Amino acid sequence: MKKVLLFLAAAAMIFAGCKSKEEVTSATETEFTVSLQPNKVAKAPAADDSKYVDEVVLIVWDYAENKEYTRITNTGNDLKLEADGTITTTFKLALKLGGYYEYLFWADNAGYYDLTRADSIVAVESMAKANDIKRDAFCTMWKDESKYTTPIVKSFTLTRPFAQLNLVATDITRAIREAQFPKDNLKFAIEYEGYQGGIDLTKSTDLLSDDKITIKDTVTAFYDTLNNQAVVIMDYLWMPIADDKELFDISFASILPTEFDRDFTSVPFQRNYKTNLIGELFFKSSEFTVTVDPMWLGSDTIPYTIPEE
């Protein structure tokens, strides 16, 4: 009799454990569909960049327990290229009922960003160079303030977490002819204001810090023979989510072949916008113009003349 009771008690415990397990996760999967348009970008200095987005990552953060819950990486055939250039992909996952979750969707060229830590998603230092369009990336974060009780079906559009800076010199042909500038190995030292780039999913922030820092780099200009101009710099500046532009100062100094410098003040930048600085750089023309292209689509540009010191 005692053995029978023990057997029944053990069976009841196993049954209860199975029932508890069944209640842990949702019966059907939560489904997220994300899309992005990487080919909607200026063709400088590289051509079509749609091929450079080769992974879309979903990181799920359990903010009640303060730990990463899971992550999924979609690559290859999981990424669908639409006729208009849009890339779409779908994530399906089972989540623990009663949990509180925040989600980061991130798309990039694999290897350019360090995604190992949810509290510090940053560019790989050796890859964080200017004039490399492969640094393009797209993301969005979504925090579900409600307790997870039923599967979710939701769609997101990913956008760039930074602005793109393009400095284009229209007088490169004259500089080559009159000042013996080379077509190759035209180097510049640059310095400008910006933010410490990165995402901290654990704090629901798209910038590691709100403090502005000074960014310094050395770049080699890209000679655009088709348009007879030099793309001196194409760089990405991390920006906060905001409806308004922010004004930064930029300084350039040549390293080769001759010494000269240019300072620009109050240059407008905005997240997911492309800022073009176009004019005669090498001969210090005062005719310099800035256009700010919304979402890098190249339409509805806002004219802006750079005030120089």
Side-chain angles (χ1 to χ4, degrees):
M1 183 66 179
K2 192 172 185 180
K3 290 182 178 181
V4 172
L5 291 174
L6 288 172
F7 173 78
L8 292 174
M13 290 177 65
I14 294 172
F15 177 76
C18 292
K19 184 177 180 181
S20 175
K21 187 175 182 180
E22 290 174 354
E23 292 175 348
V24 168
T25 56
S26 55
T28 56
E29 295 177 320
T30 278
E31 181 175 307
F32 296 119
T33 300
V34 300
S35 63
L36 58 141
Q37 287 191 315
N39 67 329
K40 301 294 185 181
V41 65
K43 304 298 186 292
D48 180 25
D49 71 328
S50 60
K51 60 187 176 183
Y52 296 136
V53 173
D54 57 11
E55 69 172 3
V56 183
V57 182
L58 165 61
I59 302 176
V60 182
W61 183 260
D62 185 333
Y63 62 89
E65 298 186 10
N66 197 35
K67 65 179 183 180
E68 183 176 317
Y69 181 79
T70 190
R71 68 171 60 201
I72 303 172
T73 301
N74 284 357
T75 60
N77 292 333
D78 292 328
L79 308 182
K80 182 180 179 182
L81 181 62
E82 307 291 348
D84 65 352
T86 301
I87 291 176
T88 61
T89 191
T90 300
F91 296 94
K92 294 183 179 181
L93 65 159
L95 297 171
K96 182 177 65 175
L97 294 174
Y100 291 87
Y101 303 109
E102 184 164 12
Y103 309 87
L104 170 66
F105 303 91
W106 178 275
D108 68 359
N109 181 268
Y112 270 74
Y113 292 88
D114 184 356
L115 308 179
T116 56
R117 292 178 51 181
D119 64 340
S120 182
I121 294 172
V122 296
V124 175
E125 185 173 356
S126 61
M127 298 291 191
K129 303 298 182 182
N131 290 359
D132 187 352
I133 208 166
K134 291 183 180 181
R135 285 175 54 206
D136 206 4
F138 304 77
C139 70
T140 194
M141 285 190 295
W142 176 58
K143 184 174 185 178
D144 189 353
E145 301 287 352
S146 303
K147 181 189 297 184
Y148 182 77
T149 56
T150 58
I152 303 168
V153 177
K154 195 172 179 67
S155 297
F156 298 91
T157 299
L158 309 190
T159 58
R160 296 173 173 91
F162 27 61
Q164 188 192 63
L165 164 64
N166 291 272
L167 175 65
V168 179
T170 58
D171 55 352
I172 182 63
T173 301
R174 179 186 170 191
I176 292 172
R177 183 180 63 251
E178 298 181 13
Q180 288 75 51
F181 274 39
K183 289 185 179 180
D184 302 315
N185 204 33
L186 185 58
K187 294 185 179 294
F188 295 86
I190 61 172
E191 181 175 320
Y192 50 87
E193 297 173 317
Y195 290 100
Q196 183 179 357
I199 290 176
D200 185 351
L201 181 60
T202 70
K203 296 180 180 178
S204 306
T205 179
D206 57 340
L207 284 175
L208 294 183
S209 173
D210 292 332
D211 297 330
K212 293 181 181 179
I213 60 174
T214 299
I215 300 170
K216 298 181 179 182
D217 200 356
T218 300
V219 298
T220 301
F222 169 81
Y223 186 58
D224 181 358
T225 55
L226 180 63
N227 298 300
N228 288 320
Q229 59 189 19
V231 180
V232 175
I233 182 173
M234 186 285 298
D235 205 0
Y236 296 94
L237 286 69
W238 289 78
M239 297 291 292
I241 297 175
D243 294 329
D244 297 325
K245 302 172 186 62
E246 292 198 37
L247 304 180
F248 292 153
D249 296 336
I250 304 174
S251 298
F252 295 88
S254 69
I255 299 176
L256 294 173
T258 59
E259 293 185 2
F260 79 97
D261 57 70
R262 291 293 296 267
D263 295 324
F264 302 98
T265 59
S266 303
V267 180
F269 292 97
Q270 188 169 348
R271 185 187 178 102
N272 203 38
Y273 280 57
K274 181 171 73 71
T275 295
N276 298 309
L277 292 81
I278 301 175
E280 294 185 352
L281 177 69
F282 305 119
F283 292 92
K284 287 207 169 186
S285 168
S286 60
E287 299 289 330
F288 239 91
T289 303
V290 176
T291 59
V292 183
D293 297 343
M295 297 181 290
W296 302 10
L297 301 181
S299 61
D300 301 326
T301 59
I302 304 169
Y304 185 94
T305 301
I306 298 179
E308 297 193 46
E309 294 181 351

